[in-house]
Amino acid sequence: MSNYQVRPATLRDAKAIAQIHTASALEAYRGIVPDDQLKAMSSVEKRQAYWREAIEYCEPQVQVAIDGDKIVGFVGFDRSRDEKSRQTTGEIWAIYAAPSHWNKGVGVTLWDAAREGLLEEGCTNVTAWVPLRNERALHFHEMAGFKREMSTAKTAVIAGIKIEEVRLKRPLN
């Protein structure tokens, strides 16, 4: 379906991952989050440090999508971080494509790779926390078979910004 290659991230990928994470978040939250708060979220250096640590310790597992020789997206996945979740429940911690590659199959390719990785880990279900006002992300997850669990809606603080989130869930098989 796509020409993207997916591989495990290396420490050298952390900067590209951070740049995609930042650019994608800024574009996705424009008009949802006030501009001054968006600016506060735009530190590539902080995100690079976070992703370097994630890659180094495999928490979460991080894979990147490659178009030619350029990283165009990434996914972080592992066991669910939710208290009281079963050991067989995985979680998509993050899934982002460069805005220049939105609607071109990067997300689906990354989702397929994460699903395979979670199945190999023995997971039978997967969840993802998505901001309620991020219609693009909600639509993507719902097209991938996730269902909203509205009873889970909560306020999360991300980079000092309060964001309403909801958990989505689906079986992996």
Side-chain angles (χ1 to χ4, degrees):
M1 181 176 147
S2 76
N3 295 323
Y4 304 110
Q5 301 299 313
V6 177
R7 64 164 172 76
T10 67
L11 289 174
R12 285 189 289 189
D13 298 331
K15 184 174 184 180
I17 291 168
Q19 290 169 332
I20 290 169
H21 194 178
T22 301
S24 185
L26 289 173
E27 187 68 25
Y29 295 117
R30 184 170 284 119
I32 295 173
V33 174
D35 288 345
D36 59 326
Q37 292 179 329
L38 267 180
K39 193 172 182 179
M41 292 172 56
S42 65
S43 171
V44 172
E45 292 76 22
K46 285 182 184 175
R47 289 182 198 243
Q48 183 175 352
Y50 172 85
W51 288 111
R52 278 188 65 80
E53 186 173 308
I55 293 164
E56 185 173 358
Y57 296 104
C58 294
E59 196 172 315
Q61 296 178 54
V62 182
Q63 296 195 10
V64 293
I66 311 289
D67 184 10
D69 62 352
K70 184 176 180 178
I71 295 173
V72 295
F74 72 95
V75 63
F77 61 92
D78 212 328
R79 302 268 179 199
S80 174
R81 296 172 285 183
D82 295 333
E83 291 181 25
K84 301 179 184 176
S85 69
R86 296 175 184 244
Q87 275 296 108
T88 56
T89 301
E91 180 181 348
I92 302 295
W93 291 26
I95 186 166
Y96 287 88
S100 61
H101 282 71
W102 284 358
N103 300 317
K104 294 183 180 178
V106 175
V108 173
T109 300
L110 290 166
W111 157 239
D112 287 343
R115 184 177 60 223
E116 286 178 27
L118 290 167
L119 284 167
E120 287 174 13
E121 294 288 323
C123 293
T124 57
N125 291 295
V126 62
T127 62
W129 285 95
V130 179
L132 276 169
R133 294 183 63 198
N134 188 338
E135 289 298 325
R136 173 181 292 283
L138 289 168
H139 180 72
F140 171 81
H141 284 84
E142 288 169 345
M143 293 301 293
F146 286 77
K147 301 285 186 232
R148 296 182 199 195
E149 295 182 308
M150 292 308 293
S151 64
T152 65
K154 68 178 183 179
T155 301
V157 179
I158 301 170
I161 301 162
K162 291 182 180 180
I163 296 177
E164 298 296 319
E165 292 184 316
V166 66
R167 185 173 64 202
L168 290 87
K169 187 175 185 178
R170 68 156 282 171
L172 280 169
N173 51 17

